[in-house]
């Protein structure tokens, strides 16, 4: 395991983000001001929320308004879900296992006047969603660092950083495609901090096919981290027009 994949380091980042000096009541991101509640993942330190906006093409002026229904699993402060609503999605569900994140997303939906189309839901992955609901885009910016199977969370915020034994990843990869409308996309934001081979094993075992549809490399506190948007579909289903390449085991070569 490389140093950037260390779950102990990720837990340290989680503790660091809890320091009062790192938790302003509001923060600016991509030209908008956002509320931040205690125990909720703070986008201002990690840079990953902006990466997700970029990977989804939700940064800057939207060329073509988005259509349809958008589900964000693990919404945190709700930056991605609210930005999706502002970009044109007509129905947005922002859900999180952390009840404070659900409140935080609702606050930010109110702040940006999209309460008519953003619904914040307290849910462990898909568990509390009405069974008949279907979506055109589903995204989870996951806690992609793998912790040991028997690790017990010390705080709610740690759930934003690590996934013990990839138990939540297994459920997401298995269940997400079931919640799609025809032609929809189930997406996972993953990175080289995660266990890519482990994710592949989960896909094999659950009958899923993984495909990277975009990548973005950033330097995060001295670590070079490759971020990727992974499309998850049932094996044998045809790939979308957005398809780029199969998810590689290990990392893609870094530019010299
Ligand atoms: C890396 S954070 C991303 C937060 C937010 N989407 C952002 O980009 O700023 C991961 C989020 O997933 C949530 N999460 C972790 N396990 C979950 C689960 N089983 N069900 C729903 N949300 C979960 C965490 O609480 C956290 O808010």
């Amino acid at each position: 395991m490389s140093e950037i994949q260390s779950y102990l380091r990720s837990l340290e980042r989680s503790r660091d983000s809890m320091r009062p000096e790192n938790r302003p009541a509001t923060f600016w991101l991509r030209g908008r001001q956002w509320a931040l509640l205690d125990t909720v993942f703070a986008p201002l330190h990690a840079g990953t929320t902006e990466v997700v906006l970029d990977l989804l093409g939700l940064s800057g002026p939207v060329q073509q308004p988005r259509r349809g229904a958008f589900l964000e699993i693990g919404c945190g402060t709700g930056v991605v879900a609210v930005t999706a609503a502002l970009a044109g999605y007509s129905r947005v569900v922002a859900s999180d296992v952390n009840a404070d994140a659900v409140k935080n997303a609702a606050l930010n939906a109110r702040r940006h006047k999209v309460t008519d189309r953003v619904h914040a839901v307290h849910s462990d992955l898909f568990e509390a969603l009405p069974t008949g609901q279907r979506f055109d885009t589903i995204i989870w910016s996951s806690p992609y660092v793998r912790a040991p199977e028997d690790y017990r969370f010390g705080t709610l915020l740690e759930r934003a950083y690590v996934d013990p034994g990839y138990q939540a990843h297994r459920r997401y990869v298995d269940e997400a495609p079931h919640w799609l409308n025809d032609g929809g996309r189930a997406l996972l934001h993953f990175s080289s901090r995660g266990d890519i081979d482990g994710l592949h094993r989960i896909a094999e075992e659950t009958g899923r096919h993984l495909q990277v549809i975009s990548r973005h490399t950033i330097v995060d506190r001295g670590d070079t981290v490759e971020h990727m948007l992974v499309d998850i579909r049932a094996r044998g289903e045809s790939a979308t027009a957005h398809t780029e390449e199969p998810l590689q085991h290990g990392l893609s070569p870094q530019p010299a």
Side-chain angles (χ1 to χ4, degrees):
M1 194 217 296
S2 75
E3 184 65 3
I4 64 167
Q5 294 176 322
S6 157
Y7 81 98
L8 293 173
R9 275 184 71 190
S10 282
L11 293 175
E12 180 57 42
R13 291 158 75 90
S14 155
R15 281 191 290 278
D16 198 45
S17 133
M18 286 297 277
R19 292 173 199 271
E21 66 270 26
N22 289 334
R23 301 206 72 85
T26 59
F27 63 95
W28 285 88
L29 190 142
R30 296 287 160 96
R32 295 189 175 105
Q33 194 176 29
W34 306 90
L36 173 66
L37 297 184
D38 290 347
T39 87
V40 179
F41 181 78
L44 63 168
H45 306 302
T48 53
T49 310
E50 290 182 276
V51 168
V52 180
L53 292 175
D54 290 343
L55 289 171
L56 291 171
L58 289 173
S59 298
V62 175
Q63 306 299 330
Q64 252 188 332
R66 302 303 175 93
R67 301 263 175 265
F70 182 98
L71 168 62
E72 187 183 17
I73 295 287
C75 59
T77 54
V79 166
V80 174
V82 168
T83 306
L86 292 169
Y89 284 100
S90 52
R91 181 168 59 90
V92 175
V93 174
S95 86
D96 207 293
V97 72
N98 176 348
D100 291 340
V102 179
K103 274 188 223 148
N104 204 150
L107 273 179
N108 281 321
R110 204 172 313 142
R111 179 180 277 266
H112 294 289
K113 302 186 172 43
V114 288
T115 49
D116 57 331
R117 48 198 192 280
V118 175
H119 306 282
V121 179
H122 186 207
S123 179
D124 181 354
L125 297 183
F126 303 92
E127 267 182 29
L129 301 184
T131 43
Q133 282 198 0
R134 292 292 176 269
F135 300 89
D136 300 291
T137 301
I138 300 175
I139 174 76
W140 187 22
S141 176
S142 72
Y144 35 64
V145 175
R146 184 182 200 131
E149 184 108 30
D150 59 356
Y151 180 74
R152 296 286 168 265
F153 293 112
T155 62
L156 263 178
L157 184 62
E158 288 183 2
R159 301 188 76 130
Y161 286 81
V162 301
D163 179 13
Y166 270 9
Q167 294 167 47
H169 279 79
R170 174 177 294 275
R171 287 165 50 218
Y172 182 79
V173 166
D174 185 25
E175 294 170 23
H178 294 303
W179 293 82
L180 289 175
N181 282 324
D182 284 349
R185 296 191 303 169
L187 304 170
L188 175 70
H189 164 226
F190 201 72
S191 92
S192 54
R193 290 193 190 280
D195 171 6
I196 293 175
D197 289 346
L199 191 67
H200 266 290
R201 279 194 296 278
I202 287 171
E204 285 290 327
E205 289 160 14
T206 53
R208 299 288 177 252
H209 181 67
L210 306 178
Q211 202 112 35
V212 174
I213 58 173
S214 51
R215 293 181 187 274
H216 192 59
T217 300
I218 62 170
V219 178
D220 177 12
R221 299 186 213 186
D223 295 335
T224 299
V225 183
E226 184 175 29
H227 290 266
M228 52 207 103
L229 193 61
V230 181
D231 177 278
I232 304 164
R233 61 190 55 246
R235 279 192 178 275
E237 258 185 35
S238 57
T240 61
H242 307 275
T243 295
E244 188 193 81
E245 55 190 302
L247 178 63
Q248 301 295 318
H249 288 260
L251 299 184
S252 72
Q254 298 296 317

